[in-house]
Amino acid sequence: MHTKNRDDFAARAAREVVDLHTVLQAWFNAEGSEDVATVLDHFDEGFTMITPTGAVVTYDAARAGFAAGRGGRRSLVMEISDVVVRHVDATSALVSYRERQTQDGKVTNRLSTALLLDRPDRAAPVWRHLQETWQP
């Protein structure tokens, strides 16, 4: 892979981290499109997530959760910072970032690592795996 293409994919992967959280915040606040595909288009069908408590969430469980969760967190604010592309190759990028969620005066922080794939059938990188860890 040429350096320019790798750099471009790295930049797109980093941007996708912010873009997805913008979509999720709108979804949970019942803003924008009511079509769950707006959220699901960001995920690979093989997606898995390890939550901060250690639970494993599959794509099917995430899909069901998103479908049921629209408007369920209307005061949620998600802030993304410290996005770092740790590794990138021809088809994937490993990205870490910090996420701060504020809702109804309660704040939670997490450090996350995500594996994003560059699929020719999608305009933006898609999420294949996510692991979140609670932070003080």
Side-chain angles (χ1 to χ4, degrees), residues 27 30-39 66-67 70:
W27 182 259
E31 299 168 350
S33 174
E34 295 181 12
D35 185 355
V36 72
T38 302
V39 175
F66 290 135
R70 178 167 167 75

Side-chain angles (χ1 to χ4, degrees), residues 9 13 16-17 91-95 114-118 125-128:
F9 180 52
E16 170 58 19
V17 170
T91 59
S92 64
L94 186 67
V95 182
L115 178 64
L116 284 81
L117 303 180
D118 191 14
V126 294
W127 294 67
R128 177 61 183 240

Side-chain angles (χ1 to χ4, degrees), residues 8-86:
D8 176 61
F9 180 52
R12 291 188 307 118
R15 187 171 48 252
E16 170 58 19
V17 170
V18 175
D19 290 350
L20 171 63
H21 287 84
T22 299
V23 168
L24 289 174
Q25 180 176 304
W27 182 259
F28 290 126
N29 279 286
E31 299 168 350
S33 174
E34 295 181 12
D35 185 355
V36 72
T38 302
V39 175
L40 294 177
D41 285 348
H42 291 263
F43 295 90
D44 182 80
E45 294 81 2
F47 174 76
T48 54
M49 174 182 168
I50 300 173
T51 69
T53 60
V56 178
V57 178
T58 64
Y59 174 82
D60 289 338
R63 180 180 62 204
F66 290 135
R70 178 167 167 75
R73 298 181 69 189
R74 291 187 183 257
S75 64
L76 177 66
V77 175
M78 302 171 106
E79 300 169 79
I80 302 302
S81 64
D82 302 329
V83 178
V84 177
V85 177
R86 303 285 177 186

